[in-house]
Amino acid sequence: MGIKGLMTYLGMETFGLVALVICFAAFVSIVVRVVLKPQREVDRQARLPLAPDDEN
Amino acid sequence: MSAAAEQAVEPVAGSGGHGDLPATGKLDRFQYDDAIVRAFLAITVVWGVVAFLVGLIAAIQLAHPQLNLGLPYITFGRLRPLHTNAAIFAFAGNAIFAGIYHSTQRLCKARMFSKVLSWIHFFGWQGIIVAAAVTLPLGFTQGKEYAELEWPIDIAIALVWVVFAINFFGTIATRRERHMYVALWFYIATLVTIAMLHIFNSLSLPAGPLKSYTIYAGVQDAFMQWWYGHNAVGFFLTTPFLGLMYYYLPKAAERPVFSYRLSIVHFWSLIFIYIWAGPHHLHYTATPEWASTLGMLFSVMLWMPSWGGMVNGLLTLRGAWHKVTRDPVLKFFVVGITFYGMSTFEGPLLSVKSVNALSHYTDWTIAHVHAGALGWVGSMVFGVMYWLLPRVYQTGLWSPKLANMHFWFNTVGLVVYIAPIYVAGLTQGLMWRDIDESGQLTYEFVETVNVLIPMYWLRVIGGAIYLGGGVIGLLNLIMTWKARPTTYDNVIIEAAPLARTFQDPPRPTSRVGTQAVLNTAHGFDVWLQGWWHRRWERLPLRFTVWVAITVVVASLFEIIPTFLIKSNVPTIATVKPYTPLELAGRDIYLAEGCYNCHSQQIRPILAETKRYGEYSKPGEFVYDHPHQWGSRRIGPDLAREGKINPTPIWHLRHFENPEEYTPGSIMPTYSWLLTSPLNFDVIPQRMTAMQTLGVPYTDEEIEQGIQLAREQAESIAHEIEKADGTTGMADKQVVALIAYLQRLGTDIYATAEPEPAAEEPVAATPGEESPQEPTVSAAMPRSH
């Protein structure tokens, strides 16, 4: 059974399931990481465009 | 350096950042390169006026087709791609570069990596735009929406994009601010994803100096086209402008973004989910249903990260709304972000299959596109422009009053544009599907066109107002430029270089302590503290790789099944390659941009099959390089044209004067097709290219291609002469186009050729039925 046959046999449900799990896991990881960031660091990073430069 | 020397030096505020060792005491002195910013900014507005003007002409042509003037170079079919390319790549593109070059230098506290590369980028990009402006009206097109430009220009785009990438990443690599602000992430996502989309969608085989065929065919080409098409919107018209929003809105409002955490979450969600949305352009078409459903689901999910961006933008103005009334820059930004929110709600709505069944091919899609393009993109461009003008030209804005006037022309013009087109779209959709008590279609197609004309005129007014705003903006730019100082102030910036030996914060220890847990638990707790992601935000290469992985993984999940699952495109035995003459006619169909008005895809919807015939099957398009399914029905669908209108004389007279044959038609005349000679000599070359792409032309057929084409042309010309005495058509372009149109949609009605040798029948196991041959139902053809 070649790769085409294997993919046809597995069907799209498997693909969809795998995609959903990966997507959800990635999203949860990102949210967790963001929530745990120290506030001081977040504030500093948010203010980067406001750092003094040649503009008035 | 000794510890004592390090401690003796005052750290410089804002430099390096968390973890950097104190500076050595020596600050770098450098200047930002604003010359390139000025160049990109000025050309943005020039091309903007051009794009708006071409759009206005196209809009008038729909309301008043006589404005096509009987000239091939300015027909709607050739002008519309010029308008879309100018609006996206010339106007929005140059604006993106202006904003990126300006903001990146300041966020990195570094001058652009290479002045030479900056100017190669600038002139290269303008060269591409000029090449597009020349080739598209001349009919040199690949026939793929938003990717019409022929192969030499595609290569130029790739090369210029590489130059841009080197310049941008070189600046990041030489930066003096360790943390990459969120705007830079959006720029990185744009660079990486546009490269991927452009390269893979543009893969084509040249068949001449300005002629090529895409390597994909039919269903797969449609899939690639809209993977590209929607993500061109996502990563050329959304992510870079979100990056500009994250920089220029805080600058203009003089306050930081509402939630930096939200910007991180919405960034990663957006770039992952956007990639999947493409198939929502293909609902109820001959693409497999799993793709359509996947596209719909992810499009609906895409609403969330998009609104994350909108919320972040608008709430940045919390406590600063009083500034909006005084500052045209903030007015533009507020309108822009609001329209971003509206369009990114409407998009998911249109992606829902049941809504799409009504909206697809109608002007609702056009209204949606322009709400986004004029509302979000246009407003953001002009907001950034007015913020930059006094700063890069080092003088006051010539007329704040005119800037305010521009704002009102922008906003009123775009509302006057989109409102009637929403009405037009809904009207089309409802009229097309209307069926009377006797079960017949209520309206002829041309009736659904004529009822829209007043709305098309209103659109012209809206577009004219918007263009007026653009002209005001251009005037303000020119007069501000004129008031610039004789010599620009070369402002010296001082900033400490990044410390060579940046000390990563120590890897945190597990907070689980001495409890009796597995080592895995300790490791997981350390991971949860996120020290590794803080490193990523300082490591542009690693960050870029993860962005690339995100967009590539998402793409592969969609694309691999399309290409590897055979059942996606069932074979139809009676579908054969186009004859040499039909292939030549198809090339003329592409050159004239017929897909800009006509679709070739009948959906399995009752009103549609009643109007156009049997719905389109995936196997019918296996030799279509590129597919021509279209996305508009300004004119009727042509998928079964060969069945509905089989007579050559009808087509001949219709091309000469469409309104005479279909009163009320807004199709322009194509009378030059009756006098322009057909180039038979290129036919073998084009057949060879198709053969290379897998179309089963034999070498003998290619050798005899010219002769076969001439024979078929003579036959059609003879039919025309018999019908009304017209002679001399056998060597004209019109017979090739007629041959192609006569072929459309007829293959499924052809009789399958008998097998050369009968095989032994497979003995059925008792209790099992013998395998049945699939049949194709042949619906009775209807008039439009």
Side-chain angles (χ1 to χ4, degrees):
Chain A
M1 180 193 288
I3 190 165
K4 282 192 184 184
L6 177 66
M7 296 223 31
T8 309
Y9 172 74
L10 284 175
M12 283 316 300
E13 298 81 19
T14 315
F15 245 70
L17 218 65
V18 170
L20 182 66
V21 168
I22 292 177
C23 187
F24 187 68
F27 182 76
V28 167
S29 317
I30 290 164
V31 169
V32 165
R33 181 287 176 258
V34 164
V35 164
L36 294 175
K37 237 180 193 273
Q39 186 62 39
R40 182 178 46 87
E41 194 176 317
V42 170
D43 288 342
R44 192 201 150 263
Q45 291 163 0
R47 299 198 77 86
L48 278 173
L50 303 174
D53 52 24
D54 57 323
E55 272 92 46
N56 49 18
Chain B
M1 184 166 50
S2 69
E6 285 173 2
Q7 284 161 8
V9 172
E10 288 295 320
V12 177
S15 73
H18 182 73
D20 269 298
L21 294 175
T24 60
K26 214 174 173 186
L27 296 176
D28 285 345
R29 293 163 61 84
F30 61 96
Q31 296 167 307
Y32 295 130
D33 180 3
D34 280 348
I36 191 66
V37 177
R38 287 190 285 268
F40 274 121
L41 186 64
I43 206 71
T44 295
V45 188
V46 170
W47 285 129
V49 169
V50 170
F52 305 159
L53 180 62
V54 176
L56 184 65
I57 294 170
I60 298 174
Q61 286 177 333
L62 290 178
H64 186 70
Q66 289 77 0
L67 190 60
N68 287 273
L69 302 179
L71 294 173
Y73 313 111
I74 60 164
T75 53
F76 179 85
R78 294 194 191 186
L79 271 199
R80 190 223 166 200
L82 182 60
H83 166 62
T84 57
N85 278 269
I88 297 170
F89 300 112
F91 173 61
N94 279 298
I96 289 164
F97 302 141
I100 288 179
Y101 273 77
H102 179 264
S103 59
T104 300
Q105 293 184 83
R106 283 145 178 91
L107 288 169
C108 292
K109 291 195 171 62
R111 186 182 172 85
M112 285 312 294
F113 176 66
S114 164
K115 187 177 172 180
V116 169
L117 290 181
S118 297
W119 289 104
I120 292 175
H121 179 191
F122 176 81
F123 286 109
W125 197 255
Q126 309 324 313
I128 286 164
I129 295 164
V130 169
V134 170
T135 54
L136 290 175
L138 290 175
F140 296 111
T141 170
Q142 289 190 326
K144 285 166 71 85
E145 243 180 303
Y146 312 122
E148 289 89 351
L149 302 176
E150 269 295 355
W151 65 273
I153 310 176
D154 279 344
I155 293 175
I157 292 171
L159 292 174
V160 171
W161 202 256
V162 167
V163 165
F164 174 38
I166 295 172
N167 209 7
F168 175 81
F169 285 108
T171 310
I172 299 260
T174 53
R175 72 194 190 286
R176 297 179 182 84
E177 171 55 58
R178 196 170 294 278
H179 177 80
M180 292 192 298
Y181 182 66
V182 64
L184 297 174
W185 309 358
F186 280 98
Y187 304 155
I188 290 172
T190 300
L191 268 157
V192 167
T193 314
I194 292 295
M196 176 181 73
L197 294 169
H198 175 68
I199 288 168
F200 283 97
N201 186 55
S202 303
L203 290 176
S204 57
L205 186 69
L210 281 172
K211 179 67 189 165
S212 59
Y213 297 116
T214 178
I215 67 171
Y216 314 106
V219 170
Q220 287 156 356
D221 184 46
F223 203 85
M224 289 302 289
Q225 156 68 31
W226 289 110
W227 169 76
Y228 162 87
H230 199 80
N231 291 300
V233 170
F235 289 88
F236 204 85
L237 298 181
T238 304
T239 53
F241 287 96
L242 285 171
L244 297 182
M245 180 192 84
Y246 276 111
Y247 182 79
Y248 290 101
L249 182 60
K251 291 295 267 190
E254 294 172 314
R255 53 203 304 110
V257 68
F258 167 68
S259 169
Y260 201 67
R261 295 180 202 271
L262 178 58
S263 70
I264 300 172
V265 173
H266 110 83
F267 169 77
W268 288 107
S269 313
L270 193 87
I271 69 165
F272 185 70
I273 296 176
Y274 228 118
I275 294 285
W276 304 74
H280 70 223
H281 293 265
L282 297 168
H283 287 327
Y284 298 114
T285 65
T287 45
E289 200 186 339
W290 64 262
S292 183
T293 304
L294 204 65
M296 175 178 77
L297 280 175
F298 276 78
S299 301
V300 171
M301 289 200 289
L302 185 59
W303 166 60
M304 289 179 289
S306 303
W307 273 36
M310 178 195 72
V311 160
N312 224 355
L314 289 178
L315 289 181
T316 297
L317 290 166
R318 207 168 51 148
W321 284 98
H322 61 281
K323 296 183 187 176
V324 175
T325 54
R326 292 195 309 258
D327 186 356
V329 172
L330 287 176
K331 286 179 187 170
F332 273 110
F333 285 162
V334 166
V335 165
I337 296 166
T338 304
F339 270 92
Y340 176 66
M342 285 169 49
S343 301
T344 54
F345 178 75
E346 186 186 29
L349 175 72
L350 289 170
S351 304
V352 173
K353 286 191 192 181
S354 49
V355 177
N356 196 270
L358 175 69
S359 73
H360 193 37
Y361 299 122
T362 71
D363 280 330
W364 189 350
T365 309
I366 305 308
H368 168 66
V369 161
H370 285 83
L374 273 58
W376 158 241
V377 173
S379 300
M380 289 304 294
V381 169
F382 292 122
V384 169
M385 179 192 91
Y386 283 113
W387 192 89
L388 281 176
L389 273 182
R391 290 163 176 88
V392 297
Y393 289 114
Q394 295 179 6
T395 182
L397 181 65
W398 181 67
S399 173
K401 241 186 169 168
L402 273 187
N404 269 302
M405 189 188 297
H406 180 185
F407 166 75
W408 287 109
F409 271 60
N410 181 88
T411 307
V412 169
L414 93 93
V415 171
V416 172
Y417 182 109
I418 64 176
I421 299 306
Y422 276 124
V423 173
L426 281 167
T427 304
Q428 279 178 309
L430 291 171
M431 287 180 79
W432 289 344
R433 62 166 48 177
D434 198 53
I435 289 178
D436 64 24
E437 312 80 33
S438 64
Q440 302 307 314
L441 294 167
T442 312
Y443 302 102
E444 293 289 328
F445 187 88
V446 71
E447 289 179 277
T448 72
V449 173
N450 293 152
V451 80
L452 304 179
I453 302 299
M455 291 167 239
Y456 286 168
W457 279 117
L458 282 172
R459 176 196 12 215
V460 167
I461 295 170
I465 296 171
Y466 199 85
L467 170 63
V471 171
I472 291 170
L474 182 61
L475 173 67
N476 224 340
L477 182 143
I478 292 171
M479 298 310 289
T480 305
W481 167 77
K482 280 184 127 183
R484 72 195 184 284
T486 323
T487 326
Y488 287 116
D489 238 350
N490 290 324
V491 178
I492 306 292
I493 309 296
E494 289 185 343
L498 293 185
R500 287 187 184 281
T501 52
F502 176 76
Q503 194 152 26
D504 267 320
R507 193 170 183 272
T509 52
S510 165
R511 297 165 296 188
V512 178
T514 56
Q515 295 175 51
V517 295
L518 297 173
N519 285 336
T520 314
H522 287 296
F524 187 58
D525 183 69
V526 168
W527 181 84
L528 270 180
Q529 293 177 57
W531 61 278
W532 48 276
H533 197 282
R534 281 192 283 282
R535 292 191 68 226
W536 287 11
E537 292 163 23
R538 297 186 290 265
L539 297 170
L541 177 60
R542 192 173 304 191
F543 186 93
T544 304
V545 165
W546 277 107
V547 166
I549 289 172
T550 304
V551 296
V552 167
V553 162
S555 302
L556 290 178
F557 263 109
E558 281 200 316
I559 289 172
I560 287 176
T562 310
F563 285 88
L564 293 186
I565 295 184
K566 266 189 166 162
S567 58
N568 283 331
V569 187
T571 310
I572 301 177
T574 52
V575 171
K576 301 287 180 224
Y578 294 106
T579 64
L581 186 69
E582 290 160 5
L583 185 63
R586 192 170 202 267
D587 286 342
I588 295 169
Y589 187 95
L590 262 67
E592 296 300 339
C594 302
Y595 69 90
N596 286 288
C597 290
H598 293 283
S599 58
Q600 285 185 24
Q601 181 71 202
I602 303 170
R603 297 174 292 172
I605 294 171
L606 176 62
E608 217 150 288
T609 52
K610 284 182 100 53
R611 192 184 296 280
Y612 300 117
E614 180 68 13
Y615 67 88
S616 298
K617 324 286 183 216
E620 295 185 73
F621 306 101
V622 291
Y623 302 127
D624 285 11
H625 293 264
H627 78 295
Q628 287 289 280
W629 294 2
S631 58
R632 309 282 302 279
R633 282 184 186 156
I634 300 171
D637 187 276
L638 301 177
R640 300 268 172 242
E641 189 65 8
K643 200 86 173 108
I644 294 173
N645 273 322
T647 58
I649 190 61
W650 187 94
H651 286 295
L652 188 90
R653 292 295 161 229
H654 185 249
F655 281 129
E656 196 175 30
N657 191 346
E659 227 221 330
E660 189 182 320
Y661 265 64
T662 311
S665 169
I666 60 172
M667 177 167 161
T669 174
Y670 282 85
S671 55
W672 61 88
L673 294 175
L674 279 71
T675 53
S676 302
L678 177 64
N679 187 354
F680 286 90
D681 294 337
V682 298
I683 289 175
Q685 190 181 12
R686 302 213 173 156
M687 291 176 74
T688 304
M690 285 293 191
Q691 186 191 50
T692 309
L693 292 174
V695 179
Y697 290 122
T698 63
D699 293 341
E700 201 187 326
E701 282 170 330
I702 295 173
E703 244 178 68
Q704 297 173 347
I706 296 176
Q707 183 195 338
L708 290 169
R710 286 198 186 279
E711 283 170 7
Q712 188 178 3
E714 289 286 348
S715 164
I716 295 172
H718 181 66
E719 275 189 69
I720 291 170
E721 189 179 347
K722 258 176 47 178
D724 77 350
T726 303
T727 57
M729 292 293 114
D731 60 348
K732 301 296 185 290
Q733 289 185 359
V734 70
V735 287
L737 193 46
I738 290 173
Y740 171 65
L741 291 173
Q742 285 187 301
R743 175 67 183 276
L744 287 178
T746 57
D747 282 2
I748 60 169
Y749 301 107
T751 312
E753 284 159 10
E755 291 294 322
E759 292 179 14
E760 286 296 318
V762 175
T765 306
E768 270 184 16
E769 291 186 7
S770 307
Q772 298 287 329
E773 281 296 324
T775 53
V776 174
S777 65
M780 290 300 291
R782 296 280 181 268
S783 67
H784 293 310

